[in-house]
Structures are given as structure tokens and as C-alpha cells.
mmCIF file of all heavy atoms in Angstrom:
data_model
loop_
_atom_site.group_PDB
_atom_site.id
_atom_site.type_symbol
_atom_site.label_atom_id
_atom_site.label_comp_id
_atom_site.label_asym_id
_atom_site.label_seq_id
_atom_site.Cartn_x
_atom_site.Cartn_y
_atom_site.Cartn_z
ATOM 1 N N CYS A 88 0.779 -1.244 0.000
ATOM 2 C CA CYS A 88 0.000 0.000 0.000
ATOM 3 C C CYS A 88 0.808 1.290 0.000
ATOM 4 O O CYS A 88 0.208 2.373 -0.039
ATOM 5 C CB CYS A 88 -0.932 0.012 1.213
ATOM 6 S SG CYS A 88 -2.050 -1.400 1.313
ATOM 7 N N TRP A 89 2.133 1.228 0.056
ATOM 8 C CA TRP A 89 2.905 2.458 0.244
ATOM 9 C C TRP A 89 2.652 3.477 -0.871
ATOM 10 O O TRP A 89 2.563 4.678 -0.621
ATOM 11 C CB TRP A 89 4.400 2.140 0.332
ATOM 12 C CG TRP A 89 5.002 1.660 -0.948
ATOM 13 C CD1 TRP A 89 5.115 0.371 -1.366
ATOM 14 C CD2 TRP A 89 5.572 2.461 -1.991
ATOM 15 N NE1 TRP A 89 5.712 0.306 -2.604
ATOM 16 C CE2 TRP A 89 5.998 1.579 -3.017
ATOM 17 C CE3 TRP A 89 5.762 3.835 -2.164
ATOM 18 C CZ2 TRP A 89 6.594 2.029 -4.190
ATOM 19 C CZ3 TRP A 89 6.355 4.287 -3.339
ATOM 20 C CH2 TRP A 89 6.772 3.394 -4.326
ATOM 21 N N ALA A 90 2.552 2.998 -2.117
ATOM 22 C CA ALA A 90 2.385 3.930 -3.232
ATOM 23 C C ALA A 90 1.027 4.618 -3.177
ATOM 24 O O ALA A 90 0.900 5.797 -3.539
ATOM 25 C CB ALA A 90 2.548 3.195 -4.560
ATOM 26 N N LEU A 91 0.003 3.890 -2.705
ATOM 27 C CA LEU A 91 -1.324 4.495 -2.571
ATOM 28 C C LEU A 91 -1.304 5.619 -1.547
ATOM 29 O O LEU A 91 -2.001 6.629 -1.703
ATOM 30 C CB LEU A 91 -2.357 3.436 -2.172
ATOM 31 C CG LEU A 91 -2.681 2.366 -3.217
ATOM 32 C CD1 LEU A 91 -3.622 1.321 -2.630
ATOM 33 C CD2 LEU A 91 -3.291 3.000 -4.467
ATOM 34 N N MET A 92 -0.524 5.456 -0.477
ATOM 35 C CA MET A 92 -0.438 6.503 0.533
ATOM 36 C C MET A 92 0.168 7.777 -0.036
ATOM 37 O O MET A 92 -0.109 8.884 0.441
ATOM 38 C CB MET A 92 0.387 6.022 1.743
ATOM 39 C CG MET A 92 -0.199 4.815 2.432
ATOM 40 S SD MET A 92 -1.896 5.081 2.980
ATOM 41 C CE MET A 92 -2.442 3.405 3.241
ATOM 42 N N GLY A 93 0.997 7.638 -1.077
ATOM 43 C CA GLY A 93 1.570 8.812 -1.713
ATOM 44 C C GLY A 93 0.534 9.696 -2.379
ATOM 45 O O GLY A 93 0.807 10.880 -2.644
ATOM 46 N N LEU A 94 -0.665 9.152 -2.635
ATOM 47 C CA LEU A 94 -1.723 9.969 -3.230
ATOM 48 C C LEU A 94 -2.127 11.129 -2.324
ATOM 49 O O LEU A 94 -2.654 12.137 -2.803
ATOM 50 C CB LEU A 94 -2.955 9.105 -3.524
ATOM 51 C CG LEU A 94 -2.769 7.962 -4.530
ATOM 52 C CD1 LEU A 94 -4.070 7.208 -4.716
ATOM 53 C CD2 LEU A 94 -2.252 8.488 -5.854
ATOM 54 N N LEU A 95 -1.886 10.979 -1.022
ATOM 55 C CA LEU A 95 -2.240 12.055 -0.100
ATOM 56 C C LEU A 95 -1.447 13.327 -0.396
ATOM 57 O O LEU A 95 -1.915 14.429 -0.112
ATOM 58 C CB LEU A 95 -2.012 11.612 1.349
ATOM 59 C CG LEU A 95 -2.942 10.496 1.845
ATOM 60 C CD1 LEU A 95 -2.515 10.023 3.224
ATOM 61 C CD2 LEU A 95 -4.389 10.983 1.866
ATOM 62 N N PHE A 96 -0.256 13.174 -0.974
ATOM 63 C CA PHE A 96 0.524 14.349 -1.345
ATOM 64 C C PHE A 96 -0.079 15.057 -2.554
ATOM 65 O O PHE A 96 0.253 16.204 -2.824
ATOM 66 C CB PHE A 96 1.974 13.966 -1.634
ATOM 67 C CG PHE A 96 2.774 13.635 -0.415
ATOM 68 C CD1 PHE A 96 2.973 12.321 -0.023
ATOM 69 C CD2 PHE A 96 3.321 14.642 0.367
ATOM 70 C CE1 PHE A 96 3.704 12.007 1.111
ATOM 71 C CE2 PHE A 96 4.053 14.350 1.509
ATOM 72 C CZ PHE A 96 4.239 13.026 1.883
ATOM 73 N N VAL A 97 -0.961 14.374 -3.285
ATOM 74 C CA VAL A 97 -1.616 14.975 -4.444
ATOM 75 C C VAL A 97 -2.925 15.645 -4.039
ATOM 76 O O VAL A 97 -3.224 16.763 -4.478
ATOM 77 C CB VAL A 97 -1.880 13.915 -5.533
ATOM 78 C CG1 VAL A 97 -2.611 14.528 -6.731
ATOM 79 C CG2 VAL A 97 -0.567 13.273 -5.981
ATOM 80 N N VAL A 98 -3.709 14.988 -3.198
ATOM 81 C CA VAL A 98 -5.042 15.498 -2.847
ATOM 82 C C VAL A 98 -5.035 16.347 -1.579
ATOM 83 O O VAL A 98 -6.020 17.027 -1.275
ATOM 84 C CB VAL A 98 -6.037 14.328 -2.673
ATOM 85 C CG1 VAL A 98 -6.176 13.554 -3.964
ATOM 86 C CG2 VAL A 98 -5.611 13.397 -1.538
ATOM 87 N N GLY A 99 -3.931 16.316 -0.833
ATOM 88 C CA GLY A 99 -3.852 17.043 0.430
ATOM 89 C C GLY A 99 -3.654 16.069 1.572
ATOM 90 O O GLY A 99 -4.475 15.167 1.767
ATOM 91 N N ILE A 100 -2.562 16.236 2.295
ATOM 92 C CA ILE A 100 -2.192 15.264 3.323
ATOM 93 C C ILE A 100 -3.273 15.104 4.380
ATOM 94 O O ILE A 100 -3.517 13.992 4.865
ATOM 95 C CB ILE A 100 -0.852 15.681 3.979
ATOM 96 C CG1 ILE A 100 0.280 15.526 2.959
ATOM 97 C CG2 ILE A 100 -0.553 14.843 5.220
ATOM 98 C CD1 ILE A 100 1.594 16.107 3.404
ATOM 99 N N MET A 101 -3.966 16.195 4.735
ATOM 100 C CA MET A 101 -5.016 16.109 5.753
ATOM 101 C C MET A 101 -6.407 16.220 5.136
ATOM 102 O O MET A 101 -7.333 16.716 5.773
ATOM 103 C CB MET A 101 -4.803 17.187 6.811
ATOM 104 C CG MET A 101 -3.644 16.911 7.739
ATOM 105 S SD MET A 101 -3.753 15.300 8.557
ATOM 106 C CE MET A 101 -5.230 15.521 9.547
ATOM 107 N N ASN A 102 -6.558 15.745 3.915
ATOM 108 C CA ASN A 102 -7.870 15.692 3.274
ATOM 109 C C ASN A 102 -8.621 14.498 3.854
ATOM 110 O O ASN A 102 -8.402 13.351 3.451
ATOM 111 C CB ASN A 102 -7.705 15.557 1.755
ATOM 112 C CG ASN A 102 -9.017 15.646 1.005
ATOM 113 O OD1 ASN A 102 -10.041 15.137 1.450
ATOM 114 N ND2 ASN A 102 -8.987 16.297 -0.148
ATOM 115 N N MET A 103 -9.521 14.751 4.813
ATOM 116 C CA MET A 103 -10.163 13.674 5.556
ATOM 117 C C MET A 103 -10.991 12.770 4.660
ATOM 118 O O MET A 103 -11.076 11.555 4.892
ATOM 119 C CB MET A 103 -11.020 14.255 6.681
ATOM 120 C CG MET A 103 -10.232 14.958 7.767
ATOM 121 S SD MET A 103 -9.117 13.825 8.661
ATOM 122 C CE MET A 103 -10.298 12.825 9.564
ATOM 123 N N LEU A 104 -11.629 13.329 3.632
ATOM 124 C CA LEU A 104 -12.424 12.505 2.727
ATOM 125 C C LEU A 104 -11.546 11.486 2.030
ATOM 126 O O LEU A 104 -11.889 10.294 1.960
ATOM 127 C CB LEU A 104 -13.146 13.383 1.703
ATOM 128 C CG LEU A 104 -13.933 12.626 0.624
ATOM 129 C CD1 LEU A 104 -15.007 11.767 1.257
ATOM 130 C CD2 LEU A 104 -14.527 13.608 -0.394
ATOM 131 N N TRP A 105 -10.393 11.922 1.528
ATOM 132 C CA TRP A 105 -9.510 11.009 0.819
ATOM 133 C C TRP A 105 -8.853 10.012 1.775
ATOM 134 O O TRP A 105 -8.593 8.866 1.398
ATOM 135 C CB TRP A 105 -8.457 11.780 0.036
ATOM 136 C CG TRP A 105 -8.919 12.083 -1.347
ATOM 137 C CD1 TRP A 105 -9.550 13.210 -1.787
ATOM 138 C CD2 TRP A 105 -8.825 11.219 -2.485
ATOM 139 N NE1 TRP A 105 -9.845 13.115 -3.125
ATOM 140 C CE2 TRP A 105 -9.417 11.904 -3.585
ATOM 141 C CE3 TRP A 105 -8.299 9.940 -2.687
ATOM 142 C CZ2 TRP A 105 -9.489 11.334 -4.851
ATOM 143 C CZ3 TRP A 105 -8.377 9.380 -3.955
ATOM 144 C CH2 TRP A 105 -8.967 10.073 -5.009
ATOM 145 N N ILE A 106 -8.573 10.424 2.980
ATOM 146 C CA ILE A 106 -8.033 9.482 3.968
ATOM 147 C C ILE A 106 -9.035 8.359 4.207
ATOM 148 O O ILE A 106 -8.676 7.173 4.247
ATOM 149 C CB ILE A 106 -7.697 10.208 5.285
ATOM 150 C CG1 ILE A 106 -6.536 11.177 5.085
ATOM 151 C CG2 ILE A 106 -7.338 9.203 6.383
ATOM 152 C CD1 ILE A 106 -6.249 12.047 6.290
ATOM 153 N N MET A 107 -10.308 8.714 4.346
ATOM 154 C CA MET A 107 -11.344 7.696 4.554
ATOM 155 C C MET A 107 -11.505 6.812 3.327
ATOM 156 O O MET A 107 -11.642 5.584 3.440
ATOM 157 C CB MET A 107 -12.665 8.361 4.922
ATOM 158 C CG MET A 107 -12.686 8.942 6.323
ATOM 159 S SD MET A 107 -14.318 9.556 6.826
ATOM 160 C CE MET A 107 -14.341 11.137 5.960
ATOM 161 N N LEU A 108 -11.485 7.411 2.125
ATOM 162 C CA LEU A 108 -11.626 6.629 0.905
ATOM 163 C C LEU A 108 -10.480 5.632 0.745
ATOM 164 O O LEU A 108 -10.695 4.462 0.381
ATOM 165 C CB LEU A 108 -11.688 7.557 -0.304
ATOM 166 C CG LEU A 108 -12.972 8.374 -0.481
ATOM 167 C CD1 LEU A 108 -12.827 9.342 -1.656
ATOM 168 C CD2 LEU A 108 -14.182 7.465 -0.691
ATOM 169 N N LEU A 109 -9.259 6.079 1.025
ATOM 170 C CA LEU A 109 -8.119 5.172 0.925
ATOM 171 C C LEU A 109 -8.192 4.065 1.964
ATOM 172 O O LEU A 109 -7.853 2.907 1.679
ATOM 173 C CB LEU A 109 -6.815 5.959 1.089
ATOM 174 C CG LEU A 109 -6.366 6.787 -0.120
ATOM 175 C CD1 LEU A 109 -5.172 7.651 0.245
ATOM 176 C CD2 LEU A 109 -6.029 5.886 -1.301
ATOM 177 N N ALA A 110 -8.651 4.400 3.170
ATOM 178 C CA ALA A 110 -8.787 3.386 4.211
ATOM 179 C C ALA A 110 -9.800 2.322 3.797
ATOM 180 O O ALA A 110 -9.566 1.110 3.978
ATOM 181 C CB ALA A 110 -9.206 4.034 5.532
ATOM 182 N N VAL A 111 -10.921 2.749 3.241
ATOM 183 C CA VAL A 111 -11.943 1.800 2.788
ATOM 184 C C VAL A 111 -11.410 0.953 1.634
ATOM 185 O O VAL A 111 -11.625 -0.267 1.577
ATOM 186 C CB VAL A 111 -13.229 2.550 2.371
ATOM 187 C CG1 VAL A 111 -14.215 1.597 1.698
ATOM 188 C CG2 VAL A 111 -13.881 3.196 3.586
ATOM 189 N N PHE A 112 -10.702 1.585 0.698
ATOM 190 C CA PHE A 112 -10.150 0.842 -0.431
ATOM 191 C C PHE A 112 -9.167 -0.226 0.038
ATOM 192 O O PHE A 112 -9.209 -1.371 -0.437
ATOM 193 C CB PHE A 112 -9.461 1.788 -1.413
ATOM 194 C CG PHE A 112 -8.803 1.062 -2.553
ATOM 195 C CD1 PHE A 112 -9.545 0.689 -3.662
ATOM 196 C CD2 PHE A 112 -7.449 0.737 -2.504
ATOM 197 C CE1 PHE A 112 -8.950 -0.003 -4.709
ATOM 198 C CE2 PHE A 112 -6.852 0.049 -3.545
ATOM 199 C CZ PHE A 112 -7.602 -0.322 -4.651
ATOM 200 N N VAL A 113 -8.279 0.135 0.958
ATOM 201 C CA VAL A 113 -7.296 -0.834 1.461
ATOM 202 C C VAL A 113 -8.016 -2.003 2.127
ATOM 203 O O VAL A 113 -7.641 -3.174 1.941
ATOM 204 C CB VAL A 113 -6.328 -0.154 2.436
ATOM 205 C CG1 VAL A 113 -5.495 -1.191 3.187
ATOM 206 C CG2 VAL A 113 -5.408 0.805 1.693
ATOM 207 N N LEU A 114 -9.046 -1.715 2.906
ATOM 208 C CA LEU A 114 -9.797 -2.776 3.575
ATOM 209 C C LEU A 114 -10.442 -3.705 2.549
ATOM 210 O O LEU A 114 -10.399 -4.938 2.697
ATOM 211 C CB LEU A 114 -10.858 -2.160 4.482
ATOM 212 C CG LEU A 114 -11.714 -3.138 5.301
ATOM 213 C CD1 LEU A 114 -10.842 -3.956 6.236
ATOM 214 C CD2 LEU A 114 -12.779 -2.386 6.091
ATOM 215 N N ILE A 115 -11.037 -3.130 1.507
ATOM 216 C CA ILE A 115 -11.669 -3.947 0.465
ATOM 217 C C ILE A 115 -10.627 -4.763 -0.291
ATOM 218 O O ILE A 115 -10.799 -5.969 -0.530
ATOM 219 C CB ILE A 115 -12.459 -3.054 -0.505
ATOM 220 C CG1 ILE A 115 -13.664 -2.427 0.211
ATOM 221 C CG2 ILE A 115 -12.923 -3.855 -1.720
ATOM 222 C CD1 ILE A 115 -14.404 -1.403 -0.626
ATOM 223 N N GLU A 116 -9.518 -4.124 -0.647
ATOM 224 C CA GLU A 116 -8.496 -4.793 -1.452
ATOM 225 C C GLU A 116 -7.862 -5.958 -0.721
ATOM 226 O O GLU A 116 -7.554 -6.998 -1.326
ATOM 227 C CB GLU A 116 -7.417 -3.783 -1.861
ATOM 228 C CG GLU A 116 -6.368 -4.367 -2.799
ATOM 229 C CD GLU A 116 -5.268 -3.401 -3.134
ATOM 230 O OE1 GLU A 116 -4.762 -2.725 -2.203
ATOM 231 O OE2 GLU A 116 -4.902 -3.294 -4.316
ATOM 232 N N THR A 117 -7.660 -5.823 0.591
ATOM 233 C CA THR A 117 -6.947 -6.858 1.344
ATOM 234 C C THR A 117 -7.863 -7.882 1.996
ATOM 235 O O THR A 117 -7.451 -9.019 2.225
ATOM 236 C CB THR A 117 -6.069 -6.220 2.429
ATOM 237 O OG1 THR A 117 -6.895 -5.416 3.305
ATOM 238 C CG2 THR A 117 -4.995 -5.338 1.814
ATOM 239 N N ALA A 118 -9.099 -7.482 2.319
ATOM 240 C CA ALA A 118 -9.957 -8.377 3.106
ATOM 241 C C ALA A 118 -11.201 -8.860 2.385
ATOM 242 O O ALA A 118 -11.792 -9.857 2.787
ATOM 243 C CB ALA A 118 -10.381 -7.681 4.413
ATOM 244 N N ALA A 119 -11.615 -8.181 1.316
ATOM 245 C CA ALA A 119 -12.894 -8.517 0.694
ATOM 246 C C ALA A 119 -12.770 -9.111 -0.704
ATOM 247 O O ALA A 119 -13.735 -9.691 -1.203
ATOM 248 C CB ALA A 119 -13.794 -7.274 0.634
ATOM 249 N N VAL A 120 -11.637 -8.970 -1.348
ATOM 250 C CA VAL A 120 -11.466 -9.518 -2.702
ATOM 251 C C VAL A 120 -10.231 -10.411 -2.720
ATOM 252 O O VAL A 120 -9.406 -10.384 -1.807
ATOM 253 C CB VAL A 120 -11.327 -8.398 -3.753
ATOM 254 C CG1 VAL A 120 -12.547 -7.502 -3.758
ATOM 255 C CG2 VAL A 120 -10.064 -7.578 -3.511
ATOM 256 N N ARG A 121 -10.126 -11.202 -3.752
ATOM 257 C CA ARG A 121 -8.965 -12.067 -3.947
ATOM 258 C C ARG A 121 -8.390 -11.814 -5.332
ATOM 259 O O ARG A 121 -9.115 -11.533 -6.289
ATOM 260 C CB ARG A 121 -9.357 -13.541 -3.795
ATOM 261 C CG ARG A 121 -9.728 -13.934 -2.373
ATOM 262 C CD ARG A 121 -8.521 -13.867 -1.454
ATOM 263 N NE ARG A 121 -8.841 -14.238 -0.088
ATOM 264 C CZ ARG A 121 -9.205 -13.383 0.851
ATOM 265 N NH1 ARG A 121 -9.315 -12.088 0.549
ATOM 266 N NH2 ARG A 121 -9.462 -13.788 2.066
ATOM 267 N N GLY A 122 -7.082 -11.937 -5.432
ATOM 268 C CA GLY A 122 -6.440 -11.746 -6.719
ATOM 269 C C GLY A 122 -6.061 -10.301 -6.975
ATOM 270 O O GLY A 122 -6.424 -9.392 -6.222
ATOM 271 N N PRO A 123 -5.340 -10.064 -8.078
ATOM 272 C CA PRO A 123 -4.807 -8.723 -8.361
ATOM 273 C C PRO A 123 -5.702 -7.859 -9.225
ATOM 274 O O PRO A 123 -5.295 -6.760 -9.597
ATOM 275 C CB PRO A 123 -3.508 -9.050 -9.103
ATOM 276 C CG PRO A 123 -3.842 -10.293 -9.872
ATOM 277 C CD PRO A 123 -4.803 -11.082 -9.003
ATOM 278 N N TRP A 124 -6.920 -8.325 -9.555
ATOM 279 C CA TRP A 124 -7.710 -7.589 -10.551
ATOM 280 C C TRP A 124 -8.063 -6.183 -10.078
ATOM 281 O O TRP A 124 -8.028 -5.231 -10.869
ATOM 282 C CB TRP A 124 -8.983 -8.358 -10.906
ATOM 283 C CG TRP A 124 -9.964 -8.495 -9.782
ATOM 284 C CD1 TRP A 124 -10.049 -9.519 -8.889
ATOM 285 C CD2 TRP A 124 -11.008 -7.575 -9.436
ATOM 286 N NE1 TRP A 124 -11.069 -9.303 -7.997
ATOM 287 C CE2 TRP A 124 -11.680 -8.122 -8.313
ATOM 288 C CE3 TRP A 124 -11.442 -6.364 -9.960
ATOM 289 C CZ2 TRP A 124 -12.756 -7.482 -7.697
ATOM 290 C CZ3 TRP A 124 -12.511 -5.720 -9.353
ATOM 291 C CH2 TRP A 124 -13.154 -6.282 -8.239
ATOM 292 N N LEU A 125 -8.390 -6.010 -8.787
ATOM 293 C CA LEU A 125 -8.740 -4.682 -8.291
ATOM 294 C C LEU A 125 -7.526 -3.758 -8.312
ATOM 295 O O LEU A 125 -7.637 -2.575 -8.664
ATOM 296 C CB LEU A 125 -9.316 -4.785 -6.884
ATOM 297 C CG LEU A 125 -9.762 -3.467 -6.243
ATOM 298 C CD1 LEU A 125 -10.819 -2.768 -7.089
ATOM 299 C CD2 LEU A 125 -10.292 -3.703 -4.819
ATOM 300 N N ALA A 126 -6.374 -4.294 -7.931
ATOM 301 C CA ALA A 126 -5.146 -3.492 -7.952
ATOM 302 C C ALA A 126 -4.846 -3.017 -9.371
ATOM 303 O O ALA A 126 -4.474 -1.856 -9.593
ATOM 304 C CB ALA A 126 -3.980 -4.308 -7.400
ATOM 305 N N ARG A 127 -5.016 -3.903 -10.346
ATOM 306 C CA ARG A 127 -4.701 -3.524 -11.726
ATOM 307 C C ARG A 127 -5.709 -2.527 -12.276
ATOM 308 O O ARG A 127 -5.331 -1.598 -13.006
ATOM 309 C CB ARG A 127 -4.647 -4.784 -12.578
ATOM 310 C CG ARG A 127 -3.440 -5.660 -12.242
ATOM 311 C CD ARG A 127 -3.455 -6.999 -12.917
ATOM 312 N NE ARG A 127 -2.274 -7.776 -12.546
ATOM 313 C CZ ARG A 127 -2.095 -9.050 -12.860
ATOM 314 N NH1 ARG A 127 -3.029 -9.696 -13.552
ATOM 315 N NH2 ARG A 127 -0.994 -9.678 -12.480
ATOM 316 N N ALA A 128 -6.983 -2.701 -11.929
ATOM 317 C CA ALA A 128 -7.990 -1.728 -12.362
ATOM 318 C C ALA A 128 -7.693 -0.359 -11.759
ATOM 319 O O ALA A 128 -7.809 0.676 -12.427
ATOM 320 C CB ALA A 128 -9.384 -2.198 -11.960
ATOM 321 N N THR A 129 -7.277 -0.356 -10.498
ATOM 322 C CA THR A 129 -6.918 0.901 -9.837
ATOM 323 C C THR A 129 -5.686 1.515 -10.489
ATOM 324 O O THR A 129 -5.595 2.739 -10.644
ATOM 325 C CB THR A 129 -6.650 0.654 -8.343
ATOM 326 O OG1 THR A 129 -7.787 0.021 -7.759
ATOM 327 C CG2 THR A 129 -6.383 1.973 -7.618
#
């Protein structure tokens, strides 16, 4: 996930909406899906 965290430097480090969106995405990517398809689509 390190590269995804770098997106905060683009949208604003303390942009709470994007922090929440990234947190939800990481949870879905690691716990709710299997395989690399979501990572590649992203």
C-alpha cells in the first residue's frame, strides 16, 4: 500500500475525505477480494 499513501501528497495530506476513501479501499483490497484484478484496475 505504500504507493497508494503517496496519493495524499496529491489530494492534500489532511484531506479527511480522501483518507477515509483510501482506508476503505485498502480494507476492500486486502480483506474482501482475492487476486490482483482490483489493484490492476486501480
Side-chain angles (χ1 to χ4, degrees):
C88 303
W89 69 269
L91 292 175
M92 299 303 163
L94 298 180
L95 293 173
F96 287 98
V97 178
V98 299
I100 292 171
M101 287 305 296
N102 186 322
M103 294 296 290
L104 175 60
W105 270 93
I106 293 173
M107 288 187 281
L108 288 175
L109 284 172
V111 171
F112 176 84
V113 168
L114 182 61
I115 293 173
E116 185 183 45
T117 58
V120 301
R121 291 293 180 268
W124 66 268
L125 181 58
R127 291 172 180 172
T129 305

